[in-house]
Every structure is written in C-alpha cells, then in structure tokens.
Amino acid sequence: MRLSGLQKEVLALYRHCLRESRRKPEATRAHFEKFARAEFARNLHLDKRDFGAIEYLLRKGKRQLDAYSSPGIKDVR
C-alpha cells in the first residue's frame, strides 16, 4: 500500500512522539506514550481527504511535541 505525503507526515509525527517519550524519566514515560496514542486515536475518525483538518492537526501536534519535548516537562496527565 502506498501512502500519501500527508499520511507519511502523520506517521513521522507519531514515531517522533514515541521517540521523544523515551527521553522522559522512566517513571513517567508510559504517561507520555499513552497521551500520544490517545491523541492520535482520538482523530482516527477523520476522512483521509479532509486535508485542512489533517494539516491543522499536524501543526497542532508539532507544537505540542515541541512543548512536551522541553527538558522541564517531567510528566503529562
């Protein structure tokens, strides 16, 4: 199955989120992984042709990733 460019971007963001969770303290790492999975699962209902919504969510996800990647953030709940 071939993926569109937007689908590749979404998967790359998901992988990046999970990789960043590995940089968090081991005690709270599961919270970051669970949060990332929940955020992506919450938007599974979107039509893959709804480019505006997908691009908006990609931008929002990248901003959240930047914020949560900060070394000062130790836990997310």
Side-chain angles (χ1 to χ4, degrees):
M1 177 173 89
R2 295 189 62 198
L3 298 176
S4 72
L6 213 48
Q7 289 171 322
K8 288 177 184 176
E9 282 186 63
V10 171
L11 288 173
L13 178 61
Y14 182 70
R15 286 192 303 269
H16 196 162
C17 289
L18 293 181
R19 273 191 223 110
E20 282 296 322
S21 72
R22 293 187 206 135
R23 295 181 180 196
K24 298 301 178 182
E26 196 167 331
T28 61
R29 190 172 299 158
H31 299 156
F32 283 95
E33 292 170 357
K34 184 177 177 183
F35 177 76
R37 286 188 179 109
E39 285 294 305
F40 279 86
R42 193 164 53 101
N43 295 299
L44 274 176
H45 71 280
L46 283 176
D47 183 8
K48 65 182 179 180
R49 293 176 302 248
D50 191 354
F51 303 119
I54 295 169
E55 289 172 350
Y56 166 76
L57 289 169
L58 272 170
R59 287 190 305 272
K60 180 181 173 192
K62 288 175 184 175
R63 282 193 308 270
Q64 282 183 314
L65 178 61
D66 287 342
Y68 292 136
S69 294
S70 171
I73 306 294
K74 302 291 184 200
D75 196 4
V76 61
R77 278 201 170 174

